[in-house]
């Protein structure tokens, strides 16, 4: 599912126009992005977004095998909540016999 499809689902479920739903979705994403500068973002039952620091390290160029210095950077980690994990791990239904 891509962002426009998600906005369309929000519009349908919340009885909004697609334009309004897109504004809501952008506001949510901007809020999560902004909050990660300061803190973690926890959506109970869904999961937790957190900023993590990756230190500088030495990697290897896959084509030449030469060592390459990789700069330190920040990244975002996501830990799924129990409800999300449980919904993804539902056993598949057996196929019907013909």
């Amino acid at each position: 599912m891509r962002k426009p499809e998600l906005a369309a689902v929000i519009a349908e479920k919340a009885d909004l126009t697609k334009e309004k739903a897109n504004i809501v979705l952008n506001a949510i994403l901007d809020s999560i992005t902004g909050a990660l500068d300061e803190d973690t973002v926890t959506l109970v039952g869904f999961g937790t977004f957190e900023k993590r620091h990756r230190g500088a390290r030495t990697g290897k160029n896959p084509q030449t095998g030469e060592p390459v210095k990789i700069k330190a950077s920040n990244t975002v980690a996501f830990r799924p909540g129990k409800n999300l994990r449980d919904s993804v791990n539902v056993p598949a239904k057996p196929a019907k016999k013909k």
Side-chain angles (χ1 to χ4, degrees), residues 24-39:
V24 169
L25 180 56
N26 285 332
I28 291 168
L29 297 176
D30 290 344
S31 297
I32 291 171
T33 302
L36 285 173
D37 284 340
E38 307 286 324
D39 200 4

Side-chain angles (χ1 to χ4, degrees), residues 62-75:
Q63 292 180 340
T64 63
E66 294 180 26
V68 177
K69 291 183 182 178
I70 302 171
K71 295 188 281 187
S73 63
N74 291 319
T75 189

Side-chain angles (χ1 to χ4, degrees), residues 8-96:
V9 171
I10 292 170
E12 184 179 321
K13 290 193 177 208
D15 195 26
L16 298 170
T17 64
K18 286 184 181 181
E19 293 78 24
K20 290 276 187 191
N22 198 36
I23 290 170
V24 169
L25 180 56
N26 285 332
I28 291 168
L29 297 176
D30 290 344
S31 297
I32 291 171
T33 302
L36 285 173
D37 284 340
E38 307 286 324
D39 200 4
T40 62
V41 176
T42 301
L43 303 172
V44 176
F46 183 73
T48 301
F49 297 91
E50 63 184 351
K51 181 168 77 171
R52 290 192 182 158
H53 180 74
R54 297 177 73 178
R57 61 197 186 281
T58 303
K60 185 168 72 169
N61 181 331
Q63 292 180 340
T64 63
E66 294 180 26
V68 177
K69 291 183 182 178
I70 302 171
K71 295 188 281 187
S73 63
N74 291 319
T75 189
V76 176
F78 177 75
R79 284 190 325 245
K82 183 176 181 346
N83 292 347
L84 181 59
R85 277 193 316 270
D86 290 348
S87 71
V88 173
N89 288 315
V90 173
K93 294 179 183 177
K96 292 183 179 180

